[in-house]
Amino acid sequence: MTAFLGRRLLTLGLTLWLASVVVFVVLEVLPGDPALLMLGVDARPDTLAALRARMGLDQPAPVRYLAWTGGLLTGDLGTSHTYGVPVAELIRDRLAVTAPLAGLAMLVSMATALPLGLLAASRRGRPADYGVMAFSQLGVAVPNFWFGILLVLWFSIGLGWFDAGGFPGWSAGIGPALKSLTLPALTLGLTEAAILARVTRSAVLDTLGEDYVRTARAKGLSRGAVMRRHVLRNALIPITTIVGLQFAFLLGGAIVVENVFFLPGLGRLLFQAISQRDLIVVKDAVMVLAAMVVAVNLIVDVLYALIDPRPKAAS
């Protein structure tokens, strides 16, 4: 297991390094001068030059890259040019919204998709199977931002059960904070559940056709016992893959939903930083998201080894 983890950590470290190179190069070739955008076109040349020097834009690109990556390694993420506060503080505050939102959405997705997928597989070709497949197709086709707007119309404007948007902060209490995240979590979780339900159905159907499942049935085990003891664990590998990918997407792909519900999350911070050309925030936020995605992939690899030790034994 130690060698297995060592190889994975080396691969993930190289991935982060390549991600840092790509992020830096892409932002370097973007048009526009951040200092000119902040001061305006009427700015005096000496003032513009002083701001560029303060932002480090007067240094060669390799020097700026080394300074930036060195700060990442030491935990010094720099200071936002727009907000005037440390970027680490900004990201920490926004992650306090995005991470719980992603976790709640993932719980909604798994709690909805896994029972539906098992139901569809065990009732293949019956009305329950067709109903689950219809839900899956509808969830894939409907954009999550449009679904979020519908939830606001139904539960906020129509019934008045939830606020239409905003986040009161965790200082207001866990109850109000979780209540404000409920509709966004349902928006993200139910749309992701449509994909996960289809994958669960396919994985369970593939496992049901194996010889050891037929043997278990021949021994007289009930349908529920066969599902629990033999089918579900062997079907977990493709399901774990999709769950890991979905959680990574929920961490970095909730920008639209955060804007729909006016949530001060990391995705919305990234969107605002791009529009304001606050490059240090953009670079640091993207690298934090990349590190979180890499961490999720590492967890998925470890779960692979625990669920199915054969790849680890072969290696």
Side-chain angles (χ1 to χ4, degrees):
M1 177 63 79
T2 303
F4 173 79
L5 289 176
R7 288 192 298 271
R8 291 297 184 271
L9 290 173
L10 179 60
T11 302
L12 298 180
L14 291 174
T15 302
L16 283 177
W17 174 72
L18 289 174
S20 70
V21 173
V22 171
V23 169
F24 185 82
V25 171
V26 168
L27 292 179
E28 281 293 309
V29 300
L30 284 178
D33 186 347
L36 185 62
L37 181 64
M38 294 176 63
L39 295 178
V41 295
D42 297 328
R44 293 173 49 185
D46 56 342
T47 306
L48 185 62
L51 181 58
R52 286 179 57 83
R54 185 168 65 87
M55 297 171 66
L57 299 177
D58 58 337
Q59 299 292 326
V63 174
R64 296 202 305 274
Y65 174 76
L66 292 176
W68 171 56
T69 53
L72 290 176
L73 293 175
T74 59
D76 181 11
L77 304 186
T79 302
S80 168
H81 306 312
T82 301
Y83 299 96
V85 298
V87 178
E89 180 180 332
L90 278 175
I91 293 178
R92 185 188 66 241
D93 293 342
R94 301 305 179 95
L95 272 179
V97 178
T98 297
L101 173 61
L104 287 174
M106 199 69 252
L107 287 177
V108 170
S109 176
M110 295 177 63
T112 305
L114 296 182
L116 289 180
L118 289 172
L119 175 65
S122 61
R123 300 291 189 271
R124 183 179 184 182
R126 300 180 184 179
D129 184 21
Y130 295 134
V132 173
M133 289 299 96
F135 162 76
S136 176
Q137 190 65 35
L138 183 64
V140 172
V142 174
N144 55 13
F145 72 89
W146 187 77
F147 183 53
I149 293 173
L150 288 182
L151 291 182
V152 169
L153 291 175
W154 291 336
F155 295 103
S156 297
I157 299 177
L159 299 175
W161 292 354
F162 299 93
D163 294 332
F167 184 72
W170 295 104
S171 59
I174 296 179
L178 291 178
K179 184 178 180 181
S180 67
L181 295 177
T182 299
L183 291 185
L186 289 175
T187 301
L188 292 169
L190 291 179
T191 52
E192 294 299 317
I195 302 173
L196 185 58
R198 183 181 291 268
V199 172
T200 302
R201 175 183 179 273
S202 299
V204 171
L205 286 177
D206 290 341
T207 308
L208 285 173
E210 297 291 339
D211 291 338
Y212 57 83
V213 175
R214 288 192 289 267
T215 302
R217 287 178 172 174
K219 291 180 178 180
L221 290 178
S222 64
R223 179 187 297 270
V226 171
M227 283 288 187
R228 290 192 304 270
R229 299 179 188 177
H230 300 281
V231 175
L232 186 57
R233 178 171 181 175
N234 290 279
L236 278 179
I237 291 181
I239 294 173
T240 303
T241 302
I242 298 300
V243 169
L245 292 175
Q246 286 187 339
F247 189 69
F249 166 77
L250 291 173
L251 287 171
I255 298 176
V256 176
V257 172
E258 287 181 357
N259 278 278
V260 169
F261 289 95
F262 300 100
L263 295 177
L266 190 58
R268 195 175 183 202
L269 172 66
L270 185 58
F271 175 79
Q272 293 170 340
I274 292 173
S275 62
Q276 296 163 349
R277 293 282 293 170
D278 198 345
L279 298 185
I280 186 63
V281 174
V282 176
K283 290 188 291 187
D284 290 344
V286 171
M287 286 307 301
V288 167
L289 289 174
M292 296 175 71
V293 171
V294 164
V296 170
N297 288 332
L298 177 61
I299 293 172
V300 169
D301 287 339
V302 173
L303 289 177
Y304 278 168
L306 296 176
I307 296 172
D308 185 2
R310 289 174 297 178
K312 182 181 65 174
S315 63

